[in-house]
Amino acid sequence: MESPVLLVIIGCEIGFWVVVFAGLAVRYGLRAPRASTLILRTVPVVDLVLLVAVALDLHSGAPVEQIHRIAGIYLGVTVAFGHSMIRWADVRCAHWFFDGPAPTPRPKHGPEAVHHEFIGFARWLLAAGVAGVAVLGLALTVADDQQAHDLYGIFPLVGIITAIWFATGPAWALFDQGSRIRS
């Protein structure tokens, strides 16, 4: 049987988008921006559900699997990127359904593209930090010694993701900008 944490992650992802779409429906469909903001501010509850589920699973003695480490990364990503994902959905919803302005396209070259890539990378670093804090918190509070040791397996994975993100994001954008200047 699959880990119950996998089902919770799937439920949290669905829950995230349900809350976002409900908030946008209230904002635009009912024209109630304050109520919409209140709904959208409940997104962290979804993150809390995931953290509690992982803690309960570990507390029950479940062996740490890769999905437990991925849950930490998922949590970090939703904390670091959640607001920008909501803003992304908001702009598109306003444009597609309510005659709002068109979304600003992502810059592809030049200093704006480099800046964009560094902002995304900074968000990833925040996500990695949140994941690390969540794992350390779980390791120090609910995990036994073996579980804690296994949870620390998140750090090499986060390191690999960080290196790849930097190489394919900011470093690539800097290289691209430099090669365009020399051309």
Side-chain angles (χ1 to χ4, degrees):
M1 181 181 149
E2 290 292 326
S3 169
V5 174
L6 174 62
L7 297 175
V8 174
I9 290 174
I10 292 168
C12 286
E13 183 65 14
I14 292 168
F16 172 84
W17 288 108
V18 166
V19 170
V20 170
F21 290 133
L24 295 177
V26 167
R27 174 171 295 166
Y28 296 109
L30 300 179
R31 303 207 185 281
R34 287 186 187 186
S36 169
T37 299
L38 289 174
I39 292 168
L40 291 172
R41 287 193 179 168
T42 65
V43 165
V45 172
V46 175
D47 296 333
L48 185 59
V49 166
L50 176 60
L51 193 58
V52 168
V54 172
L56 290 173
D57 197 40
L58 294 175
H59 183 69
S60 73
V64 173
E65 298 173 9
Q66 188 68 8
I67 197 67
H68 292 92
R69 292 184 283 271
I70 290 171
I73 293 171
Y74 176 86
L75 177 67
V77 167
T78 59
V79 168
F81 290 90
H83 183 72
S84 62
M85 291 186 329
I86 291 169
R87 188 173 47 247
W88 177 90
D90 188 12
V91 167
R92 277 146 187 83
C93 180
H95 176 65
W96 292 336
F97 303 112
F98 300 100
D99 296 324
T104 305
R106 183 178 74 78
K108 295 184 180 179
H109 306 291
E112 297 83 15
V114 172
H115 181 260
H116 177 81
E117 291 299 334
F118 271 99
I119 294 295
F121 184 66
R123 283 191 181 122
W124 164 251
L125 292 176
L126 174 61
V130 169
V133 167
V135 162
L136 289 173
L138 290 168
L140 295 172
T141 59
V142 297
D144 62 30
D145 290 342
Q146 183 61 48
Q147 288 172 321
H149 177 268
D150 293 343
L151 281 171
Y152 298 144
I154 192 177
F155 295 112
L157 178 60
V158 167
I160 291 168
I161 294 169
T162 301
I164 291 170
W165 194 306
F166 182 78
T168 60
W172 184 262
L174 283 170
F175 172 77
D176 183 52
Q177 180 180 351
S179 66
R180 288 180 183 280
I181 290 171
R182 286 189 292 275
S183 298

